[in-house]
């Protein structure tokens, strides 16, 4: 369950004594003289800054740490280290956070600051909890609670009992978890701490959900969300959306579950909460899997696994591996399901290993004396076992005497049988000599067969070696082709809201996309092209097409789409020596279809020219198909070609789609027919209002569901851009 938001809030509310309100700007603080007052102001500013900008908070904390060391100011140094721990905790850097908290604890112990030691112990426990080191976490929380009880620190006690309850909940000890959570709720209500009350409501809801009491869980989650919405706590709201979404998923109301989880994911991405993003991605993937959208589900969960691994969040890594295993099993991919499940078990075992279980048992031993009684019972069992062993030994001696008597009788019987078998053996030897002669003949035939098998195996290995050489060469060509394509991060710097579905039929592709920015103007040129052929021949054409477009636009400064296609056509004809062919039929194997647009951001205008492939434009939920010229690039036509262009104004939020014909030409479905342009348009009508990342997932998923076990007909390239 996702409690990272509440952990962070507890850090901010309870880890240090309250900080006086101070609206001093950072510019004013930096102008102060280098003394203890400046260090205190820097630390206070960084402390309040953590939830808004953890990187900037870390920077100011490091400056406070340097000044504290320079002025030999231990209290300021300890606070700076604690703030560095907060910042790294927020960024998901748990190992670094733990190191800073340990250093802060040591300094506060040396200066006798018990309140500071308790805060550091609490924070150390939170890091251990997120790393699934439950014994270490419980040890830290209990020690923090003892100090806070001695000091009468009600706010600190509320934080500690809440965290102890959280560990018990993770270990499925719901009775103890509810006991500690209710103590935390009462303490926060007495303090008037609304966020603490909301967090306690949320945690109590988690316990009821684990006990499958969804009605009570839903009520507590709603209470928590109401408070968090009221005080505008975005992190808390994201957690509440996540938990309410889980209740709807348990009730099989998948549309509502997906809506709440996507709201949670949106907030977490705005906040840069990597752990929360990992949790939400996994939950959204689970819902898509339940809806049968397996490809989309896998995309979400694999992305969530990357986030979780980057932070070393073992608990969530374990959950995502289990989700991926279940997803693979539902797809019928049992090999992947088994592999993911092995990873799940491995992580689970590393969390709940024998050593950690023994440490938890030792901690629990402080509260009861059951181990003494267990030792007494064990001694009684040992004595009973020894008595039983003596009786078994006496029975064994009696068995040995009986065995000796039987052995004498058996030996006499064996001697008699040997004499009989000897005579029978003489007769068998004569028959064996005849069989040996037959065996020699059979062995000679077998040797001939083995020699032939060796020769066949040698030829097979030779063929496999050649195939490997060819495949390795093509794979290297694939890397070259991918390097030539413009990088999507670079395109997204100018067009942040786009997707590309690029699916070659073979290892290398005859389709490619091209992008450039027109110098000294607010224009970009974007193209999607389909070279005739696929595999290695098509790939050669893509390399040439990419180079010629760079020459025409970037070197010759031609930016009008119709003129670009005119020049490209001439250069392809010359480059491939197509003048020697007498007609278009003979030269038709070396052409290129292309969709090319010039987007002028200053005028909000698109100019389009195409060779055989149209441009699709969505505006106000209406599709406009902009037609292309009816001949390809590079083929010799009977009449001179003239490529036309069209310009139109676009509006913010419009979508344009550029595609090759591989998607529409794919055979599949129930009757093994082509997908066709009509179905392609209907698909765009369903997805054009969705976020582009979901559009890409839908385009990919629909293609693979349509194709199923059919061979892929052609290379596929679909690009969508939201303007």
């Amino acid at each position: 369950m996702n409690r990272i938001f509440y952990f962070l809030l507890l850090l901010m509310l309870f880890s240090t004594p309250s900080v006086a309100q101070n609206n001093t700007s950072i510019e004013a603080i930096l102008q102060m003289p280098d003394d203890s007052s400046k260090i205190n102001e820097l630390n206070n500013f960084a402390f309040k800054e953590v939830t808004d900008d953890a990187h900037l908070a870390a920077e100011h904390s490091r400056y406070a740490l340097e000044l504290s060391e320079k002025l030999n100011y231990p209290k300021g140094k300890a606070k700076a280290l604690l703030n560095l721990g907060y910042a790294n905790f927020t960024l998901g850097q748990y190992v670094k956070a733990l190191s800073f908290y340990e250093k802060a604890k040591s300094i506060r112990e040396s200066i006798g600051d018990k309140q500071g030691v308790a805060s550091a112990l609490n924070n150390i426990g939170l890091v251990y909890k997120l790393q699934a080191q439950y014994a270490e976490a419980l040890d830290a929380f209990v020690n923090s609670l003892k100090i806070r009880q001695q000091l009468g620190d009600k706010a600190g006690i509320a934080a500690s009992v809440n965290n102890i309850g959280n560990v018990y909940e993770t270990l499925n000890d719901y009775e103890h978890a509810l006991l500690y959570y209710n103590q935390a709720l009462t303490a926060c209500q007495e303090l008037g701490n609304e966020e603490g009350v909301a967090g306690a409501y949320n945690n109590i809801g988690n316990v009821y959900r684990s006990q499958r009491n969804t009605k009570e869980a839903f009520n507590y989650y709603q209470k928590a969300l109401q408070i968090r919405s009221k005080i505008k706590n975005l992190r808390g709201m994201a957690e509440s959306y996540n938990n309410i979404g889980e209740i709807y998923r348990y009730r099989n109301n998948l549309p509502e579950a997906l809506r709440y989880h996507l709201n949670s994911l949106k907030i977490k991405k705005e906040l840069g909460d990597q752990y929360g993003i990992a949790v939400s991605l996994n939950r959204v993937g689970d819902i898509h899997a339940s809806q049968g959208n397996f490809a989309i589900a896998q995309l979400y969960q694999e992305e969530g696994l990357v986030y979780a691994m980057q932070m070393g969040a073992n608990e969530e890594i374990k959950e995502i591996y289990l989700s991926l295993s279940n997803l693979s099993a539902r797809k019928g991919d049992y090999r992947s399901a088994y592999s993911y499940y092995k990873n799940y078990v491995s992580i689970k075992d590393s969390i709940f290993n024998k050593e950690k279980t023994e440490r938890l048992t030792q901690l629990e031993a402080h509260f009861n004396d059951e181990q003494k009684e267990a030792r007494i019972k064990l001694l009684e069992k040992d004595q009973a076992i020894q008595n039983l062993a003596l009786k078994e030994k006496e029975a064994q001696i009696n068995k040995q005497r009986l065995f000796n008597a039987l052995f004498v009788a058996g030996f006499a019987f064996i001697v008699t049988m040997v004499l009989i078998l000897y005579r029978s053996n003489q007769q068998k030897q004569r028959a064996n000599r005849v069989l040996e002669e037959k065996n020699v003949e059979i062995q000679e035939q077998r040797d001939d067969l083995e020699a032939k098998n060796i020769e066949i195996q040698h030829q097979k290995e030779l063929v496999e070696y050649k195939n490997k050489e060819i495949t390795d060469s093509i794979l290297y060509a694939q890397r070259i082709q991918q390097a030539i394509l413009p990088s999507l991060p670079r395109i997204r710097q100018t067009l942040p809201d786009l997707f590309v579905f690029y699916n070659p039929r073979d290892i290398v592709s005859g389709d490619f996309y091209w992008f450039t920015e027109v110098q000294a103007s607010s224009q970009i040129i974007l193209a999607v092209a389909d070279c005739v052929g696929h595999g290695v021949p098509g790939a050669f054409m893509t390399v040439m097409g990419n180079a010629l477009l760079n020459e025409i636009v970037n070197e010759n400064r031609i930016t009008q789409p119709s003129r670009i296609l005119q020049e490209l056509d001439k250069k392809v004809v010359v480059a491939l020596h197509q003048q020697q062919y007498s007609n278009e039929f003979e030269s038709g194997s070396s052409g290129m279809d292309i969709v090319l647009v010039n987007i002028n951001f200053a005028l909000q205008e698109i100019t389009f020219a195409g060779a055989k492939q149209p441009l699709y434009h969505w505006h106000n939920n209406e599709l406009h198909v902009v037609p292309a010229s009816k001949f390809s690039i590079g083929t010799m036509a009977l009449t001179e070609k003239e490529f036309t262009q069209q310009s139109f104004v676009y509006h913010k939020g419009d979508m344009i789609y550029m595609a090759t014909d591989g998607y529409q030409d794919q055979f599949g479905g129930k009757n093994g027919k082509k997908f066709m342009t009509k179905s392609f348009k209907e698909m765009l009508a369903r997805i054009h209002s969705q976020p582009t990342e979901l559009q890409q997932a839908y385009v990919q998923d629909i293609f693979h569901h349509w194709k199923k076990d059919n061979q892929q007909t052609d290379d596929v390239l679909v690009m969508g851009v939201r303007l």
Side-chain angles (χ1 to χ4, degrees):
M1 300 178 188
N2 179 16
R3 288 176 290 272
I4 181 66
F5 301 135
Y6 191 49
F7 288 163
L8 181 60
L9 191 65
L10 288 172
L11 281 171
M12 299 300 295
L13 293 176
F14 299 132
S15 294
T16 62
S18 59
V19 179
Q21 291 293 324
N22 188 346
N23 296 320
T24 306
S25 68
I26 187 62
E27 291 79 8
I29 295 172
L30 294 176
Q31 295 298 321
M32 294 173 63
D34 290 349
D35 55 18
S36 59
S37 297
K38 180 176 183 177
I39 295 171
N40 292 337
E41 291 291 340
L42 275 171
N43 279 329
N44 293 340
F45 191 88
F47 178 78
K48 293 185 293 183
E49 198 173 32
V50 169
T51 53
D52 294 327
D53 191 337
H55 291 288
L56 200 57
E59 181 180 337
H60 292 146
S61 298
R62 280 191 289 270
Y63 183 33
L65 179 62
E66 291 175 4
L67 282 179
S68 298
E69 290 176 338
K70 177 181 177 182
L71 300 176
N72 192 23
Y73 182 36
K75 185 176 179 181
K77 183 177 179 181
K79 184 61 188 297
L81 288 167
L82 205 61
N83 284 343
L84 283 168
Y86 297 153
N88 282 276
F89 185 93
T90 307
L91 296 170
Q93 302 294 328
Y94 301 140
V95 175
K96 289 183 179 179
L98 186 61
S99 175
F100 286 124
Y101 290 151
E102 291 283 4
K103 291 176 182 178
K105 172 175 166 288
S106 297
I107 293 174
R108 288 183 161 175
E109 285 175 339
S110 67
I111 62 177
D113 180 7
K114 291 186 177 181
Q115 180 73 37
V117 172
S119 297
L121 282 168
N122 183 73
N123 298 342
I124 289 167
L126 291 175
V127 177
Y128 279 134
K129 171 64 181 63
L130 287 177
Q131 291 178 323
Q133 299 184 46
Y134 302 119
E136 291 83 350
L138 190 58
D139 192 17
F141 290 146
V142 169
N143 287 330
S144 176
L145 177 61
K146 290 177 181 177
I147 296 173
R148 285 166 167 174
Q149 286 173 335
Q150 293 172 2
L151 297 173
D153 176 13
K154 292 184 178 180
I157 291 170
S160 293
V161 295
N162 175 82
N163 292 334
I164 293 171
N166 195 257
V167 175
Y168 278 117
E169 181 193 346
T170 304
L171 298 174
N172 300 326
D173 186 346
Y174 301 128
E175 182 180 354
H176 280 91
L178 278 176
L179 175 66
Y180 282 104
Y181 283 155
N182 278 300
Q183 289 181 24
L185 175 61
T186 301
C188 290
Q189 288 172 333
E190 291 175 355
L191 291 167
N193 177 6
E194 288 186 292
E195 180 48 43
V197 171
Y201 280 147
N202 182 79
N203 289 343
I204 293 171
N206 287 338
V207 175
Y208 281 122
R209 190 174 99 204
S210 298
Q211 294 176 321
R212 300 187 182 280
N213 187 345
T214 57
K215 181 179 179 181
E216 284 298 318
F218 188 81
N219 290 337
Y220 277 100
Y221 287 154
Q222 289 284 16
K223 290 180 181 180
L225 180 58
Q226 288 173 1
I227 295 174
R228 288 166 168 176
S229 300
K230 171 188 170 185
I231 63 178
K232 294 182 173 55
N233 177 7
L234 292 179
R235 293 184 182 273
M237 289 169 63
E239 182 184 27
S240 293
Y241 282 137
N242 176 82
N243 291 337
I244 294 172
E246 284 298 281
I247 297 296
Y248 278 119
R249 185 160 73 103
Y250 181 82
R251 295 174 177 175
N252 206 31
N253 188 344
L254 299 182
E256 278 298 293
L258 183 60
R259 183 169 71 87
Y260 272 94
H261 278 298
L262 287 175
N263 284 339
S264 178
L265 178 60
K266 180 181 178 182
I267 294 175
K268 291 168 183 175
K269 285 186 174 181
E270 291 174 358
L271 296 172
D273 173 25
Q274 296 190 38
Y275 183 89
I277 292 171
V279 172
S280 287
L281 288 169
N282 188 30
R283 299 297 184 272
V284 172
D286 282 339
I287 296 170
H288 277 296
S290 299
Q291 293 176 320
N293 301 325
F294 298 143
I296 299 173
Q298 186 148 359
L299 287 173
Y300 275 106
Q301 288 172 339
E302 286 179 346
E303 184 181 357
L305 184 62
V306 171
Y307 277 100
M309 284 184 166
Q310 286 175 347
M311 294 178 292
N314 291 334
E315 185 68 31
E316 193 57 30
I317 293 171
K318 172 176 70 76
E319 294 301 321
I320 296 176
Y321 273 137
L322 182 59
S323 294
L324 285 169
S325 176
N326 293 334
L327 174 63
S328 298
R330 295 178 70 173
K331 291 164 58 181
D333 185 0
Y334 296 107
R335 177 175 294 181
S336 296
Y338 175 67
S339 176
Y340 284 128
Y341 191 76
K342 284 201 302 183
N343 291 336
Y344 161 75
V345 172
S346 176
I347 296 291
K348 183 179 179 182
D349 289 346
S350 70
I351 293 174
F352 295 100
N353 60 27
K354 182 178 178 181
E355 178 184 352
K356 293 180 180 178
T357 303
E358 288 176 353
R359 289 203 61 192
L360 286 173
T361 303
Q362 290 171 4
L363 289 170
E364 190 69 20
H366 290 296
F367 304 97
N368 61 68
D369 296 323
E370 292 179 358
Q371 287 185 338
K372 294 181 180 179
E373 184 179 349
R375 292 192 188 97
I376 294 171
K377 290 181 179 179
L378 185 60
L379 290 173
E380 292 174 350
K381 288 181 180 179
D382 287 343
Q383 185 62 45
I385 291 170
Q386 290 176 8
N387 293 336
L388 182 59
L390 289 174
K391 292 180 180 179
E392 288 181 351
K393 188 172 183 180
E394 291 176 358
Q396 187 67 29
I397 292 171
N398 292 332
K399 287 181 182 179
Q400 185 65 37
R401 290 171 181 167
L402 178 60
F403 175 77
N404 291 339
L406 291 174
F407 176 77
V408 173
F411 182 76
F413 175 76
I414 290 171
V415 170
T416 303
M417 291 299 298
V418 167
L419 293 174
I420 296 171
L421 291 172
Y422 176 75
R423 292 184 61 189
S424 175
N425 186 55
Q426 292 297 315
Q427 295 173 352
K428 287 183 179 179
Q429 284 183 1
R430 287 193 292 270
N432 285 341
R433 282 194 291 270
V434 176
L435 288 173
E436 277 186 26
E437 294 174 358
K438 295 288 185 182
N439 287 337
V440 170
E441 182 179 351
I442 293 171
Q443 185 62 40
E444 290 175 352
Q445 295 175 353
R446 186 180 298 162
D447 291 342
D448 289 340
L449 287 173
E450 287 182 358
K452 291 179 180 178
N453 285 337
I454 291 172
E455 182 180 357
I456 292 171
Q457 181 65 27
H458 175 71
Q459 293 174 351
K460 177 175 177 290
E461 291 174 354
L462 183 61
V463 170
E464 290 176 348
Y465 175 75
K466 292 294 183 183
N467 284 340
K468 184 178 183 301
E469 280 192 328
I470 294 170
T471 303
D472 289 346
S473 298
I474 296 175
L475 287 172
Y476 188 73
Q478 179 193 42
R479 290 196 295 271
I480 295 174
Q481 186 180 49
Q482 290 174 345
I484 291 173
L485 292 173
S487 71
L488 290 177
R490 179 197 166 201
I491 299 177
R492 287 195 173 101
Q493 290 176 359
T494 306
L495 298 171
D497 206 0
L498 95 160
F499 75 86
V500 175
F501 174 47
Y502 185 53
N503 194 43
R505 194 194 81 163
D506 302 311
I507 298 175
V508 289
S509 175
D511 290 358
F512 73 99
Y513 54 91
W514 185 84
F515 166 85
T516 191
E517 296 177 279
V518 179
Q519 296 295 327
S521 69
S522 58
Q523 302 176 39
I524 62 102
I525 298 176
L526 191 64
V528 166
D530 178 5
C531 300
V532 173
H534 36 72
V536 174
F540 278 123
M541 286 290 294
T542 67
V543 173
M544 183 184 70
N546 184 82
L548 291 177
L549 284 171
N550 285 327
E551 178 185 346
I552 294 166
V553 178
N554 296 329
E555 296 180 17
N556 298 339
R557 307 297 182 184
I558 297 174
T559 60
Q560 289 185 354
S562 60
R563 286 196 59 204
I564 293 172
L565 297 193
Q566 206 81 30
E567 290 297 315
L568 180 62
D569 180 65
K570 293 177 183 178
K571 290 181 181 293
V572 169
V573 169
V574 172
L576 298 178
H577 307 289
Q578 291 185 338
Q579 301 94 329
Q580 62 183 296
Y581 298 115
S582 60
N583 55 51
E584 187 174 4
F585 176 78
E586 293 180 352
S587 64
S589 62
S590 302
M592 179 191 305
D593 298 341
I594 189 168
V595 184
L596 187 141
V597 295
N598 180 317
I599 303 178
N600 189 320
F601 297 111
L603 301 177
Q604 283 195 253
E605 182 181 67
I606 294 177
T607 303
F608 158 74
K612 297 192 78 172
Q613 293 301 321
L615 175 71
Y616 301 95
H617 173 219
W618 278 95
H619 172 64
N620 283 342
N621 291 322
E622 184 177 350
L623 172 64
H624 303 275
V625 180
V626 188
S629 301
K630 295 183 178 180
F631 31 74
S632 299
I633 297 291
T635 55
M636 293 294 293
L638 297 176
T639 58
E640 185 176 352
K641 302 176 193 174
E642 182 176 352
F643 294 92
T644 60
Q645 68 181 27
Q646 297 186 47
S647 298
F648 56 91
V649 175
Y650 69 85
H651 300 79
K652 186 175 181 181
D654 286 5
M655 284 290 304
I656 60 170
Y657 297 94
M658 309 162 70
T660 62
D661 59 4
Y663 203 104
Q664 299 94 308
D665 289 347
Q666 178 60 47
F667 289 95
K670 295 181 180 179
N671 301 317
K673 295 182 179 180
K674 285 187 177 182
F675 191 77
M676 303 299 290
T677 302
K678 179 181 177 183
S679 298
F680 185 75
K681 293 177 183 177
E682 291 173 351
M683 177 185 69
L684 297 182
R686 291 196 302 272
I687 70 172
H688 74 275
S689 61
Q690 299 290 329
T692 50
E693 60 181 13
L694 278 182
Q695 290 191 44
Q696 178 176 354
Y698 277 121
V699 169
Q700 177 177 329
D701 195 41
I702 290 170
F703 180 79
H704 290 303
H705 274 78
W706 175 263
K707 183 175 78 70
K708 292 185 178 178
D709 297 329
N710 292 289
Q711 182 180 3
Q712 186 168 327
T713 308
D714 195 0
D715 301 316
V716 174
L717 175 55
V718 180
M719 177 182 289
V721 180
R722 190 177 301 282
L723 300 166

